[in-house]
Every structure is written in structure tokens, then in C-alpha cells.
Amino acid sequence: MIPHNIFSVSDFKNHKQNLIDLIFSIPKNSLYSGYDKISHQDYNLPKNMERKYVEYFKNNIFSKFAESICNSYSCKGVQMTNIWFQVYKKNDCHDIHSHPRTNLTNVFYINLPNKKLTTQIFLPQNQIFELNIEEGDIVTFPGYYAHKSPINNFDEDKIIIAFNTDLVHGDVNSY
């Protein structure tokens, strides 16, 4: 068992299509590297590029999510340190990796054709921690855990927004 949190966006159906439209308003940007194949993503695009989905996410979803995380981890605040989207078309995948220099990794499932496509989180001895995720859920887990996105063997796109967060326990300016 790993420490994790699952936050269900209560009004997700009101946001799903808006988020998808905003994600696809960004010009196609594929990532093919090693064992990674992601048909559309914005991780490596310039950070100053306009990303309307980020503002939409921050204005409509992040504050309730952050409140839930603060309650779960007994912290005063949550700082988002990075955010990106990934669209996995048929045969796309993202190999095993971790997120260094962050407290928590978060995956928001915008479109999930099948539960077999949820993030696989690895325990010691390469055992996979099984997640019970629905579309509209955000799973949160420590960034140092190795994880991957399995091969999408379905015709429908898997679409996620991933973001890293740090927990704030004291005055932000005191660090």
C-alpha cells in the first residue's frame, strides 16, 4: 500500500468537454523517445506559451482539490509546481519514471476509455499498486514512486492532466 489520495471532481461532467477542447486548441506536439510514445502533449513546450486549459483548471477545479489535499495531509496550503497534459492514442504509452524535486504527483483523468489504462504505480519488488479510478478522478501519490502509463490498446484516446504539487506547512516565505 502506498500513501495516496483520490479526489473526485464533483461536477466533472460540466468540465470534461471544455477541458478537452482547450487541450486540443494547442497545436499537436508528439513525444517519441525511447519507450515513450505520446501523441499529443505540452510538457516540452515553452512555459510562457498560453495554455487556456491551465487557467480553466485553476479557476474551476484546483481550489477544491487543494482543500481536500490540505485536509488529507494536514497542511496549510498546496503549491502547484508544474502542469501538463498528455493524450494517449492507440498504442501510446509512457515508460517507468518518477517525479523528482516534488512532494506529490497528481494525475487527473479527463478521458479514460478503460480502467486498464490507469497509472501503474510500482511498489518494492516491482509489484503494481492497483488503483480504483474513474473518469473525473485525480489520484495523488508521492512523486518519488516509480509509475507508468500502460499501452493504450483501445481505439479511444486516454487524456490526462498531470501536475506536481508541494505541501506547505508553514509560512511560504519562511523557506
Side-chain angles (χ1 to χ4, degrees):
M1 176 88 170
I2 65 161
H4 72 288
N5 187 56
I6 297 174
F7 174 79
S8 296
V9 176
S10 61
D11 52 352
F12 173 69
K13 290 183 193 248
N14 297 331
H15 301 297
K16 179 179 177 175
Q17 194 58 52
N18 290 332
L19 287 165
I20 290 172
D21 290 345
L22 292 169
I23 284 169
F24 281 101
S25 73
I26 293 178
K28 185 175 179 193
N29 184 48
S30 302
L31 175 68
Y32 301 110
S33 171
Y35 292 102
D36 294 331
K37 181 181 180 207
I38 304 170
S39 289
H40 188 33
Q41 54 84 39
D42 67 339
Y43 185 80
N44 61 355
L45 292 176
K47 297 303 176 199
N48 62 354
M49 180 179 164
E50 182 180 40
R51 290 173 167 81
K52 291 182 180 180
Y53 80 91
V54 173
E55 291 308 311
Y56 186 94
F57 176 75
K58 286 180 180 178
N59 292 333
N60 294 284
I61 297 164
F62 186 75
S63 61
K64 289 180 186 175
F65 163 80
E67 183 179 320
S68 170
I69 292 298
C70 287
N71 288 335
S72 294
Y73 289 91
S74 300
C75 62
K76 290 185 177 181
V78 177
Q79 291 181 325
M80 186 186 307
T81 58
N82 203 355
I83 185 169
W84 63 98
F85 72 83
Q86 294 172 322
V87 177
Y88 297 89
K89 294 197 173 292
K90 189 169 187 170
N91 296 319
D92 285 2
C93 63
H94 194 177
D95 203 14
I96 297 173
H97 64 284
S98 63
H99 296 204
R101 295 176 300 283
T102 191
N103 296 153
L104 302 171
T105 295
N106 311 274
V107 181
F108 180 19
Y109 294 89
I110 307 297
N111 199 64
L112 186 64
N114 190 293
K115 288 189 174 206
K116 292 178 181 178
L117 296 177
T118 59
T119 303
Q120 295 176 339
I121 304 171
F122 292 89
L123 300 168
Q125 289 83 41
N126 281 335
Q127 294 174 322
I128 297 174
F129 179 72
E130 298 292 331
L131 294 168
N132 186 18
I133 299 294
E134 301 285 334
E135 211 172 73
D137 287 347
I138 301 173
V139 64
T140 299
F141 56 94
Y144 58 84
Y145 272 93
H147 58 283
K148 75 175 190 175
S149 181
I151 295 172
N152 181 358
N153 291 317
F154 300 91
D155 291 328
E156 190 177 344
D157 295 349
K158 171 185 170 182
I159 303 172
I160 60 106
I161 293 175
F163 58 103
N164 293 332
T165 50
D166 288 338
L167 304 176
V168 178
H169 291 282
D171 181 6
V172 177
N173 297 324
S174 66
Y175 292 97

